[in-house]
Amino acid sequence: MKMRRILEKAYHTLLACTGISSNQLKTDRDRQTDILCGVVGCDASVLIASKPGNTSGLAEKDAHDNKNLPVEAFDSIKKAKALVENKCPGVVSCADILAIAARDFVHLAGGPYYQVGKGRWDGRISMASRVSFNLPRANSSVDELLKLFGSKGLNLEDLVALSGAHTIGFAHCEHFVSRLYDYRGTKKPDPYIEPRFLKALQMSCPPFGGNVDVVAPFDVTTPFSFDHAYYGNLQAKMGLLATDQALFLDPRTRPIVVELGKDKQRFFQAFSAAMEKMGSIGVKRGRKHGEIRKDCSVHS
Ligand code: HEM
Ligand SMILES: [Ca+2]
């Protein structure tokens, strides 16, 4: 679909590297999306492929929580990397390409275009066993989310603004089906789901034996457009995951949901700022801690 345009854009941005020394690049700072930075930071460790027959365990991308990362995403990063290697070999890390691709994707979907600082190096370690405790879960409490985000230097407003990424995209039934039929062991649906929305979700996701490939949009109003409609939905009890809806139910995050729901520019500004912070989590610099991979799926 839009992958080609994303690639072209990533490529044109990166072409600038021919005119910039790697030293200059290294002084910049940065940003990006969810899965990309969750585990050990923005070091492209998620792109590493597991080695067949490897005794030391699977790579991050093969962790259960990452099983739905789309093949197309890995392919487009691979293509962007090939184009860039062609022009300036050994200069641009996979981690930077990932950060830029994330920004371009957001922008192509109608979201903000923010500057992405460069100079990340790629990580030397990628382990599936590190994934689960570093990623938020669809049924985490706001306390747990704040703790996890806080441990990465992200605050209350960052949590709410970054969750706004769920203004686009889809989730598989497994992540919210318990809300539809058995909310916290009550054998009843979650009371904080708008009744018509609940019916529609129940039609897509039966309690047992449903098709595991079925997905529902995070933002029922504008699933393909990067806008602030997500926050309006939360106020109308139309959040998809328990974690989405919880942002409106918790008195600490509710005022931020209301504020960002009122004003798209305010959301874009908060999102860009939070992406900048997230994009600099656990960034590796230099040969001691990092590498510049030639092939993003293989350690160099
Ligand atoms: C706050 C805690 C968060 C939780 C609990 C969470 C959870 C999830 C879950 C369960 C899915 C669906 C996966 C699937 O079924 O395939 C998902 C998808 C997604 N998440 Fe998050 N997420 C969180 C934060 C974020 C952040 C911070 C971002 C980016 C800044 C983000 C961006 C996305 C996007 C774009 C998708 C859609 C992917 C697609 O359509 O294929 N999420 N998230
Ligand atoms: Ca939307």
Side-chain angles (χ1 to χ4, degrees):
M1 13 153 256
K2 286 177 177 163
M3 276 312 167
R4 230 194 54 164
R5 283 187 59 206
I6 296 165
L7 268 174
E8 277 167 16
K9 212 140 183 250
Y11 175 54
H12 287 294
T13 316
L14 289 162
L15 272 184
C17 76
T18 45
I20 307 171
S21 79
S22 50
N23 256 353
Q24 266 175 293
L25 284 167
K26 270 179 226 141
T27 57
D28 284 341
R29 305 234 344 266
D30 178 298
R31 42 208 117 189
Q32 120 163 17
T33 106
D34 172 24
I35 42 185
L36 309 181
C37 293
V39 179
V40 278
C42 303
D43 68 352
S45 49
V46 72
L47 299 178
I48 293 290
S50 299
K51 288 203 194 92
N54 186 345
T55 45
S56 59
L58 295 171
E60 257 174 58
K61 74 182 278 200
D62 295 314
H64 176 78
D65 289 308
N66 283 338
K67 71 178 189 302
N68 288 319
L69 296 183
V71 181
E72 295 85 350
F74 292 96
D75 284 351
S76 30
I77 299 293
K78 196 182 169 101
K79 287 179 197 152
K81 174 68 170 170
L83 289 167
V84 175
E85 280 299 300
N86 210 2
K87 290 278 172 192
C88 25
V91 175
V92 186
S93 67
C94 300
D96 277 350
I97 292 181
L98 214 40
I100 292 163
R103 186 272 316 274
D104 288 352
F105 187 78
V106 166
H107 186 59
L108 283 168
Y113 187 87
Y114 47 81
Q115 290 307 309
V116 174
K118 288 89 177 176
R120 295 174 196 75
W121 286 53
D122 299 324
R124 293 183 176 278
I125 302 171
S126 174
M127 280 162 65
S129 55
R130 293 194 187 184
V131 172
S132 70
F133 59 90
N134 268 304
L135 279 186
R137 320 206 67 85
N139 59 358
S140 301
S141 66
V142 172
D143 272 338
E144 288 164 342
L145 292 176
L146 286 174
K147 216 168 127 196
L148 181 66
F149 278 61
S151 73
K152 317 242 174 222
L154 301 168
N155 62 26
L156 208 63
E157 172 157 331
D158 298 327
L159 168 64
V160 179
L162 288 172
S163 297
H166 290 170
T167 183
I168 50 172
F170 297 81
H172 292 78
C173 297
E174 62 173 299
H175 296 296
F176 54 86
V177 71
S178 68
R179 296 187 73 207
L180 310 180
Y181 302 99
D182 187 15
Y183 172 69
R184 295 192 185 163
T186 57
K187 305 269 184 268
K188 291 207 175 76
D190 186 333
Y192 297 101
I193 308 180
E194 197 280 326
R196 276 171 310 164
F197 183 51
L198 173 66
K199 274 223 172 79
L201 291 177
Q202 287 175 329
M203 302 267 273
S204 305
C205 307
F208 308 103
N211 179 339
V212 293
D213 294 328
V214 171
V215 291
F218 275 106
D219 171 357
V220 278
T221 48
T222 55
F224 298 106
S225 166
F226 200 101
D227 54 13
H228 59 318
Y230 166 82
Y231 298 105
N233 296 339
L234 301 186
Q235 297 173 54
K237 292 192 189 173
M238 297 205 290
L240 187 61
L241 306 182
T243 44
D244 294 317
Q245 195 55 54
L247 298 177
F248 183 66
L249 297 175
D250 192 293
R252 291 168 294 183
T253 43
R254 178 189 296 220
I256 309 173
V257 169
V258 173
E259 196 196 333
L260 300 185
K262 268 193 239 159
D263 183 346
K264 185 158 106 169
Q265 286 317 316
R266 179 73 192 80
F267 165 49
F268 281 7
Q269 183 211 330
F271 184 80
S272 301
M275 285 297 268
E276 163 147 21
K277 271 200 202 174
M278 190 164 76
S280 53
I281 294 170
V283 165
K284 314 280 185 300
R285 304 235 190 253
R287 229 165 280 289
K288 195 164 165 209
H289 305 285
E291 61 190 14
I292 306 284
R293 290 178 213 142
K294 284 200 166 39
D295 172 343
C296 293
S297 66
V298 184
H299 287 301
S300 65

